[in-house]
């Protein structure tokens, strides 16, 4: 029999019981990254969307704001800000909320990032969104932590 120190809690899990992951605290994503989103509109490879360059994330508890500062295909500077709520389940999580863009992009809509994983090197997840131009954007969102 395994050694159990006196007063230590003992947990018995019956066979056939489903277990689910949980996290004691949300990861801190705050910082500067090289990243953003790469997506397809309505699953059409002719409608690729790239919002990628400087990514700044701020976080207060489970409230996250991610600002992607980039240049559009015409070379015009644009800024898209994604504001949402972070939910964790074990080592993965999700963020859902709304976003809006200005400058060389004027998109406004809702988004979600699922299967979110983070480490000291950055974060990434599956991205889904919709706005006034596209009913179904799907792709990836994330960033590599900047050394600065």
């Amino acid at each position: 029999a395994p050694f159990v120190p006196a007063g230590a809690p003992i947990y018995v899990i019956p066979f056939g019981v489903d277990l689910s992951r949980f996290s004691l605290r949300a990861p801190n994503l705050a910082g500067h990254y090289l990243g953003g989103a790469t997506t397809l509109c309505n699953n059409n490879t002719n409608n690729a969307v790239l919002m990628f360059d400087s990514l700044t994330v701020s976080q207060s508890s489970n409230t996250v704001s991610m600002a992607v500062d980039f240049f559009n295909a015409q070379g015009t500077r644009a800024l898209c800000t994604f504001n949402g709520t972070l939910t964790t389940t074990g080592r993965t999580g999700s963020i859902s909320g709304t976003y809006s863009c200005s400058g060389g992009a004027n998109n406004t809509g809702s988004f979600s990032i699922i299967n979110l994983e983070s480490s000291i090197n950055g974060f990434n997840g599956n991205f889904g969104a919709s706005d006034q131009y596209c009913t179904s954007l799907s792709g990836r969102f994330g960033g590599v932590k900047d050394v600065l």
Side-chain angles (χ1 to χ4, degrees):
F3 172 74
V4 179
I10 298 173
Y11 300 98
V12 177
I13 302 171
F15 287 105
V17 172
D18 291 334
L19 299 177
S20 64
R21 297 187 249 174
F22 70 95
S23 179
L24 299 177
R25 66 184 173 102
N28 184 358
L29 301 177
H32 185 254
Y33 301 83
L34 301 176
T38 177
T39 69
L40 294 177
C41 174
N42 297 324
N43 223 12
N44 183 338
T45 56
N46 293 324
N47 289 328
V49 178
L50 179 63
M51 293 179 274
F52 186 91
D53 200 341
S54 175
L55 168 62
T56 303
V57 179
S58 59
Q59 181 176 348
S60 176
S61 185
N62 290 343
T63 301
V64 178
S65 179
M66 303 176 291
V68 183
D69 192 352
F70 65 103
F71 290 88
N72 68 15
Q74 291 73 38
T76 304
R77 188 174 184 178
L79 176 67
C80 291
T81 303
F82 299 80
N83 295 308
T85 302
L86 172 65
T87 304
T88 57
T89 307
R91 69 179 198 91
T92 65
S94 62
I95 301 172
S96 60
T98 59
Y99 75 100
S100 62
C101 303
S102 60
N106 62 353
N107 307 52
T108 301
S110 60
F111 79 96
S112 66
I113 301 170
I114 61 171
N115 299 319
L116 178 70
E117 295 185 316
S118 65
S119 72
I120 61 169
N121 300 312
F123 73 96
N124 62 76
N126 297 34
F127 179 77
S130 64
D131 61 28
Q132 72 271 34
Y133 301 113
C134 184
T135 57
S136 177
L137 290 157
S138 61
R140 308 285 183 265
F141 193 105
V144 176
K145 190 83 167 183
D146 196 350
V147 295
L148 302 177

